Amino acid sequence: MVGANNGLVFQPSNIQAAPGSMIEFQFTSRNHSVVQADFASPCVPIEQVSSEYAGFYSGFMPVAAGSNTMPKFTIMVPDTEPIYYYCSQGEHCQAGMVGAINAPTTGNTTAAFAAAAKQAPANVSPKGPNANSTLAVGSSSAAASTTAA
């Protein structure tokens, strides 16, 4: 869930998923996004810090208060490597709106990523919806084997 309980959170903020699993982000409130980041550079799209990756980006998904609409964004987990992500709206990333898929339990944990995000000098959005998305399956998919974030 993205923005669960009208908060600046991904719920859950850390999930374990096997390669090939589909992760569905469900947007529940406000105007949030999901952007892939590198652990070492929270709040910055991964493709801006590493030419090896073209990360995912949901675009902004506004949800009006009291709306029954729940936009969805789905990605496929390519392998067992950690995937870190954040919301690029305002200072949501610095406020702790970050998460991970397959984060380790020591070292580069979700909590360590959130702590680093609090120190990030800027919160950067990719250029345009689904910019350079290679993991994105679709921005409104109902099929998912794992529901999270």
Side-chain angles (χ1 to χ4, degrees), residues 11-124:
Q11 193 173 55
S13 62
N14 184 22
I15 38 179
Q16 299 300 307
S21 294
M22 304 301 283
I23 305 296
E24 182 179 87
F25 295 90
Q26 299 174 347
F27 293 78
T28 63
S29 67
R30 298 181 170 183
N31 189 13
H32 298 293
S33 68
V34 181
V35 183
Q36 186 176 0
D38 181 71
F39 180 86
S41 298
C43 310
V44 176
I46 195 167
E47 66 271 7
Q48 290 187 18
V49 296
S50 175
S51 61
E52 293 180 43
Y53 299 99
F56 57 80
Y57 174 45
S58 66
F60 288 99
M61 301 278 196
V63 178
S67 173
N68 291 330
T69 303
M70 190 181 306
K72 297 174 176 105
F73 177 72
T74 303
I75 64 165
M76 183 181 73
V77 177
D79 52 37
T80 59
E81 292 299 310
I83 299 170
Y84 300 94
Y85 52 87
Y86 66 99
C87 176
S88 63
Q89 179 69 268
E91 293 184 356
H92 292 192
C93 182
Q94 289 89 342
M97 194 167 183
V98 300
I101 300 166
N102 295 330
T105 56
T106 60
N108 293 351
T109 65
T110 305
F113 184 61
K118 289 181 183 191
Q119 305 303 315
N123 192 5
V124 182

